[in-house]
Amino acid sequence: MSGAQKVDLVGVGLNAIDTLIPLRHFPASGSKTEYSNASIMPGGQTATAIVACQTWGLETRYIGKVGEDDAGRLHQREFERTGVDARLITVPNAASPQSLIIVDEGGERTVLCRRDERLLLQPADLKREWIVSARALHVDGFETAAATQATAWAREAGIPVIADLDETYPGVDDLIANVDYLIVSRDFPSRLTRERNLEQALRKIKNRYGCKLAAATLGADGVIAWDGEDFHLNPAYHVPVTDTTGAGDVFHAGFIYGLLQEWPLVQQLDFACAAAALNCTCSGARGGIKNVEAIEDLMANTPHYDIANAAD
């Protein structure tokens, strides 16, 4: 576990084993609902983004904790299969993170999570060489102290940091201060800044923390990003949606891929939207992670949603 070869991307954050249960409609409170099947597959915010980037040809490393159980072994096998340099810390007698995901007929998912506190990654679990031997660092912020330590090392080494945040965890201010590209969920900016207008909230985040980019993903409406001079509104691609699980994770992966290719921002955002859309056409957090050529084919042949709808 001590060596650290050079990689393009290192990720510090969540993994999970997802149990997907498709239903026609989300059940009403107090009701009984039958389901016909359930699928078990690996997921997790950062772990999924890392696997996507590895699939697209980047050399990647993932750092996280798993339990000494079948779920942990499944993660290990999947990282080995895809070629990810996985620095997994196994905790004896602990259960790996699990998510029960209900997917309705329209593809929208509802997630129930179970996490053992013994599996929280701590700053002491990290090695500096694992971080600074990468071209970029991706974090999700759930294990905030560990993520903050990793981002501090990356900042010292001049390595760009990308963050996928959806909760205002304790200590998140210190974490964001080390982030270059902050791409968050739709309502996060307003909760962080107490500014109800999304554009103004993104402006405040960039001014307060000094991020190079402050952006929010908008689901079917795509993404809005503020670079300090212009707002970039990129609508989503219009695809038949099977399951939105992992859409945000794959979006971040697409953005990172474009960033490391040194594409213009507009191209990064569009590729990320296309990668996320393609993933939504299949089941599971990683079910629609295809190769770069498939994403480019979708971009060439699939319409966006009307940009007027994305701005509403």
Side-chain angles (χ1 to χ4, degrees):
M1 299 261 307
S2 60
Q5 72 272 23
K6 292 284 186 180
V7 295
D8 296 303
L9 174 66
V10 59
V12 176
L14 288 171
N15 64 73
I17 294 299
D18 299 337
T19 300
L20 267 71
I21 304 173
L23 296 175
R24 289 182 61 84
H25 305 288
F26 191 84
S29 177
S31 67
K32 290 185 178 181
T33 303
E34 291 189 6
Y35 66 95
S36 58
N37 63 83
S39 302
I40 298 174
M41 54 193 70
Q45 277 173 262
T46 295
T48 294
I50 291 297
V51 167
C53 286
Q54 183 75 30
T55 301
W56 300 332
L58 298 181
E59 293 294 328
T60 65
R61 174 178 300 124
Y62 171 75
I63 305 167
K65 282 186 174 179
V66 295
E68 193 176 32
D69 54 11
D70 288 342
R73 288 184 282 273
L74 176 56
H75 279 298
Q76 182 69 61
R77 290 196 301 271
E78 189 64 12
F79 286 130
E80 290 175 354
R81 183 187 69 81
T82 54
V84 173
D85 174 22
R87 304 304 171 110
L88 294 178
I89 300 165
T90 302
V91 180
N93 302 315
S96 296
Q98 302 273 345
S99 295
L100 301 178
I101 303 177
I102 299 172
V103 183
D104 67 21
E105 193 173 33
E108 189 57 59
R109 90 287 188 268
T110 301
V111 183
L112 307 176
C113 301
R114 185 193 70 181
R115 300 189 180 102
D116 190 324
E117 289 189 358
R118 290 172 293 175
L119 268 68
L120 286 174
L121 198 67
Q122 302 296 330
D125 296 320
L126 302 176
K127 294 183 183 296
R128 187 177 185 275
E129 64 192 64
W130 295 348
I131 306 302
V132 300
S133 56
R135 294 172 58 204
L137 167 65
H138 180 50
V139 299
D140 57 45
F142 177 76
E143 295 149 325
T144 313
T148 302
Q149 176 64 82
T151 59
W153 284 335
R155 176 59 61 90
E156 291 170 1
I159 296 167
V161 177
I162 306 92
D164 173 9
L165 303 182
D166 52 21
E167 296 292 341
T168 53
Y169 306 111
V172 76
D173 289 294
D174 292 335
L175 172 60
I176 298 175
N178 294 328
V179 171
D180 298 289
Y181 302 93
L182 182 68
I183 306 175
V184 298
S185 57
R186 182 195 297 260
D187 61 345
F188 180 92
S190 295
R191 285 188 282 117
L192 181 67
T193 65
R194 302 188 183 279
E195 167 59 60
R196 296 182 63 181
N197 180 275
L198 179 56
E199 290 189 0
Q200 291 303 317
L202 291 174
R203 288 178 186 269
K204 284 187 175 182
I205 288 173
K206 190 178 187 312
N207 291 339
R208 180 185 300 174
Y209 300 101
C211 307
K212 292 182 179 179
L213 186 78
T217 55
L218 309 174
D221 291 333
V223 61
I224 184 170
W226 170 243
D227 64 7
E229 295 183 0
D230 299 297
F231 276 102
H232 302 270
L233 182 60
N234 204 105
Y237 280 90
H238 201 301
V239 297
V241 175
T242 297
D243 178 12
T244 60
T245 303
D249 312 337
V250 176
F251 178 95
H252 284 79
F255 177 86
I256 294 166
Y257 181 85
L259 178 69
L260 293 179
Q261 305 303 313
E262 299 183 354
W263 291 344
L265 176 59
V266 172
Q267 186 178 357
Q268 294 172 38
L269 295 173
D270 199 40
F271 182 87
C273 284
L278 188 59
N279 201 60
C280 289
T281 64
C282 303
S283 293
R286 307 176 190 174
I289 298 175
K290 309 300 182 183
N291 58 32
V292 172
E293 291 74 18
I295 298 170
E296 291 174 340
D297 182 69
L298 183 144
M299 294 170 73
N301 297 290
T302 306
H304 291 87
Y305 282 97
D306 188 336
I307 197 167
N309 293 334
D312 290 344

